[in-house]
Amino acid sequence: MSKNKKEVQDINRKATGEKAKGRSQGAEVWYRMRKNKGAMVGLVVVVLLILLAVFSDVIFDYSKQIAGINTKARLLPPSWEHPFGTDGKGRDLFVRVLYGTKYSLTIGVVATLISTLIAVPIGALAGYYGGFFENVVMRIMDMLSAVPFILMGIVVVSALGANMMNLIIALGIVGIPKICRMTRAAVLTVKNQEYIESARIIGLKERDIIIKHVLPNCLSPIIVSITLQVATVIISASSLSFLGLGVPAPSPEWGALLSAGRDELRQHANLTLFPGLAIMITVLALNLMGDGLRDAMDPKLRK
Amino acid sequence: MKKLLAILLAGAMVLSLAACGNQNGTTGEAETKGEAESNTSAAEKTYKEVITLGYDQPATTLDCQVLVNSIQDTLYMLYLNTLVNFNFETKQIEPCLATEWSHNDDSTVWTFKLRNDVTFSNGEPFTADDVVFTVERMAATGVSGAADAKNVEKVVANGDYEVAITLIQANMDLPYRLAMPFWGMLNREALEKDPDNGYKVGTGGWTPVKFEPGTMVEFDKVESSWVWKDVQTPTKKIIEKTMTEESARSIAVQTDEIQFSYSFNFGDINIYDADPNVDYSIISADLIYYLGMSYESEAIGDDVNLRNAIAYAIDPTELMDVGFSGKGEPCKTFWGPNQYGIYTDYEQQLGKNLDLAKEYLAKSNHPDGLTLSLTTVSAFEQMAEVVQAQLAEIGIEIKLNITDAPGLAQTVADKKLDLLLYSKTCGVYGDQFRDILVYGNTANRMKYNNEKVAELLDKALGETDDATRLALYKEVQEITHEEMPCVPLFYGTASGLFRKGLSGVIFQSNTRHNFTYAVCEESK
Amino acid sequence: MHKYILKRILMLIPVIFGVSLLVFCIMNVASGDVTAVMGAEELDAQQLYELKESLGLNDPLLVRYVKYMWNLITKGDLGTGYISKEPVMSLFLNRFPNTLKLALGSTLVCVILSIPLGIYSAVHHGSIADNVAMVGALLGLSIPNFWLGLVLIVIFALRLGWLPSEGAVGFKSIILPAITIGTGFMASMTRVTRSSMLDVIRSDYLRTARAKGAPERQVIYKHALKNALIPIITSIGETFATALGGAVVTEAVFSWPGVGRLIIDSIRSRDTMVVVGCIIMKTIVISVILLIVDILYAFVDPRIKSHYARARKAKIDE
């Protein structure tokens, strides 16, 4: 008499007249995200930016368009030829802004990856085993997050030297506490559920329990965290570049472009406005996507 | 949802475009509006009691023997006096605290007769003993005039108003050195009583009353100072503020928040031409911008070919365009623009010559190019990027190291200096380049150590025959033209943006403007 | 109750020591030879040794750290800046009021903008206005604050000339920086306000109040808001603490003479003592404020209060 899941669903479907919706969990999330217009816009923008970042070097000629100077064409206002105008060294700002996507996305993604790879296992273990280990880990996280984010970034970068690699490392380290705390909290919620208890009774190894049962159910808050973290890292990276502690010249990283444009703020505000707009659009897209993911994955919001 | 988003984003874009629209005018050719005229007319005019100056670099100390740079010197001039002054108009040395001076036959003993009517701001009289104290203090712990002090064998007071300085090595240019603001005379009693603050006591017309290092200094008038014996001004207080943002500084002048801004963006001249309340002054300065190449750099060392390769890859006009909207004058030699003994008649003139540069590079130790670090201060960052692009054309990759003056000292000390983009004040007297050409001097961050050059400079220092002296200095320049310790780039400008009612300011081509007699009319 | 407070304070101490050790070590190891900056090339070996001795630089790193912390705790002395030659503590105390002012101003701006918005969104939950408010708050989070600062400068200081673009003189000068920082925290505070209002609005006792016939406005403001206030107040406290710490970039944009700008200037001039001292002090201040917020929260939150009250009552009954 045991009917499988699909049969039961079919029966229900016939009863209520719904169309067949035999979705897996992933497809369910995707379906719900699709209905969220804001999240979809965010997703599209992010995908476009990734493509831009990946193919930058193919589309643009670095030495001529990015690094080359042409002082005869200094500080031209926006026109058809130069949609964003030219900077103090005659370089086309539009091209530089587009090329700059590469830096921000790379730094954002890799730094967050580093944070995640370190924070998630530590946070999961801390949440699961608790006790002294958890205490120590949480104190260390408190320590790392006691120093304001940007100050810690400044300390690490000025110690290691300002280049892209060190920037990624610095932001990767500084981003650990948030993800670690989030993971631990999620694990704490899941660990006391019945199905974990059952798994234990059945005799599964602790390691298997954590990897196969606990973590997958914590995935949603972690994924949301990660998406939002990338956005935070991008803003922090551009802040550090703005202060001169980020990606070195002549790289057209957005924060660096903003910093360079400051000298000409009175009559050539375009130099500051457009790179900032680029940062804003990227971060907004990521935030919308992250928010959309959170709403889509949150079972409480099932309509 | 999407519609709202689109509206919001569109709104943001409109905001941005509105903000960057209305760009008025092109950067036309600048007219040098000249110096502010003295205002001597009728009594209806009211004058400000407080004059505020805005500078881009912070002042970090008030101890004149510790630090030298444009802002520090400018401040020292307000509360300290030197034995002699250099008049930039007449190009002559004038009496200041000293009334007359003379030297013996071999220029090793200099005797100064001093004024007898000068008191310090703490009431103590200025005597020869204070001169002795100042020189001895500089020799013991001073940095700014250490090179001069090291050359002093002894300094002796003959009574209260005469002092004799005996030098180890003859120096015809001693008066020029002593005219420098950091050789301000300090008071023995003040410093013995209060070693931490006594250096603020001077003989000048002003005295510092409030000091926030890096932010501002406030000066009150010292009515009893000898400076006010023959000249009076209605100004009672002078404040110097650090305002690093050029646009903020310029706007502050336009809104009368400050009355003088040191340097401004030449690209905005059209705005100031249109503003009836402000005036500006751009004068060619005794300032040389150079690209130094360190002898302690592992990559460069004394590789003359590499040095020349770098020299001929640089185009100074591009640097002038980017840094100063084209203002300035390219260098023909590594010497001051108005300096005694300047020689420019070389066969191979300086300037961008890519073929020649590549030729030299091929002969150097790094024919396939290399990576070098370029250190400079944040004010010159844009120009440094231009150098970076120019050197990339011959295959030299540049990593920028943007720091500030103390950080530069650190870089030098850590022996991490490769290239240095910097500026140096020049003077009119022949020996002015000693501090950058002779090993052991502070400005010689490249650690250039050519004994022949040092020898020539020493000989010229004591030489009384004009023709011989000129020949000696010519030889020095020919050597540096060959060896390229530094690439001379261009001569800079000193500029200021100020209220039309400001007068009494003595603009000096060494960028240290004298504000002692500054007066500013209230604007209607 | 007091046990809770004590516990939290005790936990704070290792954190502060850990942070200070970390920052001290990193900065000092990375900063290279400081004596060089003081013109030490002129000195011979003996004089150099004496100079280093006077600066305490001859001791090993950990010993220096211990001495440093000892000076801080017993004398409130953070050493003297290598470049600026002023005592670090006085430099910090000089600038701190400015940073404090800015943090207060920013928090005020955030509160004024977020709370009404959050309440409105909660009350009109699900409407278009609600969605706009949420996206708007998100916008505030996405705009890099130094860019917003520059845009505001361009519009209000350069074009319109209404407000000053730098410095800290007068009331007008705090407006733009406060807005710059405050809008960044809007997203979080609006959301907290909205969700805590929502929680309360939907709750039972409000239904009771409504059933009793109380006017809707009174229901919202007297009953809902009071209870929703708790997480909101925590949010305000956290915003204030974060604004205190994170204003660094905004201070740079507006040349605001606060601690953040002092740190940046000192990094440029390689004045390690100042950087280390300021970061440690800032961290201590922020941690203490967060601690106070936590403790206040514990006092105010009836759940925690009752937990301890019950425990006390139980003890009394024994």
Side-chain angles (χ1 to χ4, degrees):
Chain A
M1 242 292 279
S2 53
K3 297 201 168 64
N4 66 15
K5 190 165 143 202
K6 189 108 195 323
E7 282 179 346
V8 173
Q9 270 187 348
D10 284 348
I11 293 173
N12 285 338
R13 186 189 18 114
K14 282 210 197 92
T16 58
E18 280 178 29
K19 274 197 280 197
K21 284 192 226 158
R23 278 185 230 107
S24 65
Q25 195 184 26
E28 177 72 29
V29 169
W30 174 243
Y31 175 73
R32 280 198 270 161
M33 260 205 61
R34 269 213 343 234
K35 296 220 276 191
N36 183 344
K37 303 272 173 42
M40 287 317 288
V41 170
L43 184 62
V44 166
V45 172
V46 169
V47 167
L48 282 176
L49 289 171
I50 295 179
L51 286 175
L52 185 59
V54 166
F55 290 111
S56 276
D57 282 310
V58 170
I59 308 175
F60 303 115
D61 174 3
Y62 187 82
S63 52
K64 253 210 296 265
Q65 295 175 290
I66 310 294
I69 59 175
N70 176 13
T71 53
K72 305 286 174 275
R74 287 188 81 213
L75 298 175
L76 297 174
S79 61
W80 275 119
E81 202 196 323
H82 299 287
F84 289 174
T86 58
D87 68 0
K89 296 187 198 59
R91 297 178 289 203
D92 180 57
L93 190 63
F94 182 64
V95 163
R96 296 196 94 211
V97 169
L98 288 185
Y99 194 85
T101 317
K102 179 169 98 151
Y103 300 99
S104 297
L105 282 186
T106 311
I107 297 174
V109 168
V110 179
T112 308
L113 206 65
I114 294 179
S115 306
T116 311
L117 287 175
I118 300 179
V120 167
I122 295 182
L125 288 173
Y128 191 78
Y129 286 115
F132 182 68
F133 178 70
E134 181 193 17
N135 240 329
V136 167
V137 166
M138 282 303 111
R139 287 318 122 229
I140 296 181
M141 292 305 134
D142 280 348
M143 215 175 78
L144 275 180
S145 53
V147 183
F149 197 79
I150 194 101
L151 285 183
M152 202 60 203
I154 290 178
V155 167
V156 179
V157 170
S158 57
L160 296 174
N163 58 46
M164 192 147 123
M165 196 67 231
N166 293 338
L167 195 57
I168 292 178
I169 295 176
L171 292 173
I173 295 177
V174 184
I176 292 177
K178 201 154 179 203
I179 299 186
C180 186
R181 284 215 188 101
M182 165 68 66
T183 312
R184 168 182 167 266
V187 166
L188 278 178
T189 332
V190 168
K191 123 174 146 169
N192 294 319
Q193 303 278 356
E194 278 184 359
Y195 53 90
I196 302 295
E197 191 65 36
S198 331
R200 230 180 265 134
I201 291 175
I202 296 178
L204 282 182
K205 280 202 280 235
E206 293 287 334
R207 208 192 75 193
D208 284 342
I209 299 180
I210 296 179
I211 297 180
K212 289 199 199 131
H213 294 277
V214 174
L215 274 184
N217 287 296
C218 296
L219 225 46
S220 29
I222 294 178
I223 290 183
V224 174
S225 260
I226 292 178
T227 318
L228 299 177
Q229 182 81 335
V230 174
T232 312
V233 170
I234 290 181
I235 291 196
S236 304
S238 56
S239 301
L240 285 171
S241 294
F242 180 78
L243 294 174
L245 292 167
V247 185
S251 309
E253 199 273 341
W254 293 331
L257 291 178
L258 267 157
S259 178
R262 255 179 114 181
D263 296 331
E264 301 293 337
L265 211 51
R266 287 194 87 176
Q267 300 198 84
H268 305 278
N270 52 316
L271 296 177
T272 333
L273 290 167
F274 289 113
L277 211 57
I279 301 177
M280 189 188 91
I281 291 177
T282 308
V283 172
L284 187 62
L286 281 164
N287 276 326
L288 282 172
M289 213 176 84
D291 258 12
L293 271 172
R294 179 195 286 143
D295 289 344
M297 288 187 183
D298 185 352
K300 276 193 274 175
L301 288 183
R302 252 174 220 235
K303 297 234 169 77
Chain B
M1 188 63 190
K2 201 154 98 173
K3 214 158 71 157
L4 293 160
L5 207 62
I7 293 174
L8 275 162
L9 283 178
M13 297 215 68
V14 169
L15 201 71
S16 336
L17 291 173
C20 76
N22 294 334
Q23 298 186 18
N24 38 3
T26 48
T27 56
E29 231 342 83
E31 24 157 338
T32 310
K33 276 193 175 181
E35 297 178 14
E37 291 160 3
S38 276
N39 232 318
T40 47
S41 40
E44 292 108 23
K45 305 206 199 291
T46 47
Y47 293 94
K48 285 191 185 301
E49 290 193 346
V50 181
I51 291 186
T52 311
L53 316 170
Y55 268 74
D56 55 346
Q57 292 296 320
T60 51
T61 179
L62 290 178
D63 185 345
C64 65
Q65 300 194 336
V66 165
L67 195 54
V68 190
N69 58 43
S70 187
I71 176 62
Q72 297 289 159
D73 281 355
T74 307
L75 294 176
Y76 301 153
M77 279 159 55
L78 285 172
Y79 60 103
L80 300 168
N81 293 124
T82 45
L83 289 177
V84 293
N85 261 341
F86 179 73
N87 185 323
F88 281 81
E89 296 236 22
T90 63
K91 308 268 199 279
Q92 297 298 322
I93 297 277
E94 287 176 350
C96 188
L97 287 179
T99 52
E100 44 180 278
W101 56 96
S102 57
H103 59 95
N104 66 352
D105 283 332
D106 58 2
S107 313
T108 51
V109 182
W110 290 76
T111 313
F112 294 85
K113 288 211 170 50
L114 310 172
R115 288 183 78 108
N116 57 9
D117 58 348
V118 178
T119 45
F120 284 91
S121 59
N122 61 354
E124 294 284 341
F126 167 67
T127 61
D129 179 54
D130 293 306
V131 179
V132 172
F133 174 75
T134 305
V135 176
E136 287 179 343
R137 184 174 184 267
M138 184 71 88
T141 54
V143 175
S144 45
D148 305 315
K150 264 210 275 268
N151 190 27
V152 171
E153 192 185 301
K154 64 176 195 278
V155 47
V156 174
N158 299 328
D160 275 340
Y161 302 112
E162 192 181 293
V163 65
I165 302 180
T166 309
L167 304 173
I168 300 173
Q169 213 191 340
N171 188 348
M172 283 299 294
D173 292 332
L174 183 67
Y176 293 95
R177 295 298 302 170
L178 291 177
M180 310 230 136
F182 54 82
W183 266 112
M185 290 294 133
L186 302 170
N187 178 235
R188 182 191 290 274
E189 283 80 8
L191 275 153
E192 281 178 350
K193 198 158 64 174
D194 186 0
D196 289 331
N197 285 300
Y199 47 76
K200 296 180 188 167
V201 172
T203 57
W206 302 85
T207 189
V209 293
K210 193 161 154 207
F211 179 42
E212 283 171 38
T215 311
M216 66 95 95
V217 196
E218 214 176 279
F219 295 90
D220 275 351
K221 196 181 239 176
V222 182
E223 298 288 355
S224 56
S225 167
W226 69 285
V227 162
W228 306 117
K229 280 216 160 83
D230 300 318
V231 182
Q232 300 295 322
T233 63
T235 318
K236 293 213 168 61
K237 200 186 258 291
I238 293 184
I239 300 179
E240 181 271 335
K241 278 171 76 163
T242 306
M243 297 174 80
T244 31
E245 272 314 294
E246 182 276 328
S247 53
R249 229 165 44 237
S250 304
I251 291 177
V253 175
Q254 290 187 287
T255 59
D256 206 14
E257 189 191 320
I258 64 177
Q259 285 69 50
F260 176 87
S261 162
Y262 176 81
S263 87
F264 63 97
N265 185 346
F266 298 147
D268 290 338
I269 278 186
N270 52 318
I271 300 182
Y272 308 123
D273 281 337
D275 186 337
N277 292 317
V278 303
D279 221 335
Y280 57 85
S281 169
I282 306 175
I283 57 177
S284 55
D286 289 321
L287 194 64
I288 184 173
Y289 289 86
Y290 63 90
L291 183 68
M293 297 177 278
S294 176
Y295 282 84
E296 285 185 336
S297 153
E298 272 178 40
I300 308 179
D302 50 9
D303 185 349
V304 176
N305 289 314
L306 180 59
R307 289 162 172 275
N308 276 288
I310 293 175
Y312 293 103
I314 310 282
D315 180 358
T317 41
E318 282 189 333
L319 293 171
M320 284 154 47
D321 282 339
V322 170
F324 300 96
S325 298
K327 303 226 180 301
E329 194 58 51
C331 290
K332 295 208 166 90
T333 178
F334 190 47
W335 208 248
N338 299 310
Q339 194 171 331
Y340 178 88
I342 184 172
Y343 174 71
T344 57
D345 225 349
Y346 303 105
E347 212 186 289
Q348 178 60 52
Q349 288 288 317
L350 289 167
K352 181 167 176 171
N353 188 335
L354 271 186
D355 294 327
L356 187 57
K358 289 187 184 150
E359 232 181 85
Y360 272 115
L361 188 68
K363 284 191 274 179
S364 75
N365 295 336
H366 298 92
D368 296 321
L370 71 162
T371 306
L372 292 171
S373 77
L374 170 55
T375 306
T376 191
V377 290
S378 38
F380 304 152
E381 184 171 356
Q382 298 303 316
M383 291 198 294
E385 283 191 44
V386 177
V387 172
Q388 188 184 41
Q390 290 174 345
L391 288 178
E393 289 185 71
I394 58 168
I396 298 182
E397 191 193 326
I398 295 290
K399 298 226 176 300
L400 293 181
N401 174 24
I402 311 291
T403 173
D404 67 359
L408 170 58
Q410 180 95 341
T411 311
V412 173
D414 292 340
K415 299 214 193 318
K416 291 208 189 115
L417 186 70
D418 286 337
L419 299 175
L420 170 66
L421 178 65
Y422 213 40
S423 64
K424 176 186 147 45
T425 339
C426 314
V428 276
Y429 59 94
D431 198 51
Q432 232 284 343
F433 264 43
R434 170 182 295 269
D435 54 1
I436 198 172
L437 289 176
V438 175
Y439 188 80
N441 288 311
T442 38
N444 186 356
R445 297 179 175 87
M446 286 62 61
K447 306 295 178 188
Y448 181 49
N449 191 0
N450 184 324
E451 281 168 16
K452 179 93 176 106
V453 167
E455 213 183 281
L456 289 166
L457 285 176
D458 285 341
K459 256 212 271 190
L461 200 48
E463 180 60 56
T464 40
D465 174 43
D466 213 37
T468 324
R469 244 191 142 198
L470 285 172
L472 288 167
Y473 286 135
K474 171 175 163 202
E475 212 184 318
V476 169
Q477 289 169 73
E478 279 174 338
I479 295 179
T480 55
H481 190 77
E482 294 252 339
E483 294 191 342
M484 288 291 175
C486 303
V487 184
L489 298 170
F490 60 96
Y491 300 121
T493 53
S495 64
L497 180 70
F498 45 89
R499 303 291 298 168
K500 265 225 168 70
L502 184 72
S503 58
V505 178
I506 304 174
F507 286 99
Q508 305 194 144
S509 55
N510 68 349
T511 75
R512 280 81 165 142
H513 308 314
N514 195 339
F515 291 97
T516 306
Y517 304 103
V519 172
C520 189
E521 248 176 77
E522 287 282 13
S523 23
K524 326 273 178 292
Chain C
M1 202 60 216
H2 302 285
K3 252 174 66 176
Y4 180 72
I5 299 178
L6 201 62
K7 211 171 93 173
R8 295 285 279 118
I9 294 180
L10 280 180
M11 289 205 307
L12 188 60
I13 296 180
V15 169
I16 291 184
F17 273 103
V19 169
S20 51
L21 181 65
L22 192 67
V23 174
F24 187 87
C25 291
I26 293 181
M27 287 307 292
N28 275 298
V29 164
S31 67
D33 186 9
V34 205
T35 53
V37 191
M38 304 159 120
E41 306 149 358
E42 316 286 314
L43 306 172
D44 60 38
Q46 175 62 20
Q47 288 172 310
L48 190 61
Y49 181 80
E50 278 165 15
L51 177 64
K52 284 193 168 169
E53 190 67 35
S54 70
L55 293 170
L57 289 176
N58 281 326
D59 304 320
L61 195 61
L62 281 176
V63 174
R64 278 165 57 191
Y65 171 72
V66 173
K67 281 193 187 168
Y68 181 79
M69 289 308 281
W70 182 251
N71 275 335
L72 173 59
I73 298 174
T74 54
K75 289 188 269 180
D77 173 18
L78 281 165
T80 311
Y82 296 138
I83 311 295
S84 62
K85 310 266 197 298
E86 305 272 323
V88 176
M89 184 55 99
S90 73
L91 280 173
F92 176 80
L93 290 175
N94 216 335
R95 308 277 202 137
F96 185 66
N98 291 324
T99 301
L100 196 64
K101 256 193 275 187
L102 191 58
L104 282 170
S106 314
T107 311
L108 195 67
V109 166
C110 187
V111 166
I112 293 176
L113 291 176
S114 312
I115 295 190
L117 199 63
I119 295 178
Y120 187 81
S121 293
V123 170
H124 300 271
H125 171 57
S127 68
I128 293 185
D130 180 20
N131 279 323
V132 171
M134 280 302 102
V135 175
L138 203 58
L139 208 70
L141 191 64
S142 311
I143 297 182
N145 61 1
F146 54 97
W147 182 61
L148 180 62
L150 289 171
V151 169
L152 290 177
I153 287 180
V154 170
I155 299 177
F156 292 101
L158 299 183
R159 293 295 154 115
L160 296 173
W162 291 348
L163 297 167
S165 61
E166 72 92 62
V169 181
F171 170 72
K172 273 192 183 172
S173 62
I174 203 178
I175 297 180
L176 290 183
I179 294 180
T180 305
I181 301 181
T183 47
F185 294 115
M186 245 178 72
S188 160
M189 202 182 278
T190 313
R191 230 178 267 209
V192 168
T193 310
R194 177 178 176 273
S195 62
S196 79
M197 279 296 286
L198 271 178
D199 274 349
V200 165
I201 285 179
R202 289 179 185 151
S203 63
D204 288 339
Y205 57 89
L206 273 202
R207 226 185 286 150
T208 316
R210 276 196 204 98
K212 271 169 54 181
E216 187 66 16
R217 224 167 124 240
Q218 203 189 62
V219 168
I220 296 203
Y221 283 106
K222 226 176 102 176
H223 299 279
L225 195 55
K226 235 176 30 172
N227 288 290
L229 224 45
I230 298 159
I232 295 177
I233 291 184
T234 318
S235 176
I236 294 179
E238 283 172 357
T239 302
F240 178 67
T242 316
L244 210 53
V248 172
V249 185
T250 310
E251 284 188 16
V253 171
F254 288 94
S255 299
W256 185 265
V259 179
R261 222 186 99 209
L262 178 62
I263 293 178
I264 296 178
D265 288 342
S266 304
I267 294 224
R268 282 246 177 84
S269 28
R270 310 272 197 272
D271 198 342
T272 320
M273 277 303 236
V274 178
V275 176
V276 174
C278 286
I279 292 185
I280 291 179
M281 282 309 292
K282 240 194 179 183
T283 309
I284 293 178
V285 169
I286 294 172
S287 305
V288 167
I289 292 180
L290 284 174
L291 181 68
I292 295 177
V293 169
D294 265 352
I295 292 178
L296 277 174
Y297 182 81
F299 268 114
V300 165
D301 189 337
R303 286 169 289 176
I304 301 187
K305 224 166 140 180
S306 67
H307 169 78
Y308 279 95
R310 245 185 287 126
R312 246 184 341 164
K313 200 150 167 271
K315 259 182 124 180
I316 294 172
D317 288 342
E318 276 171 8

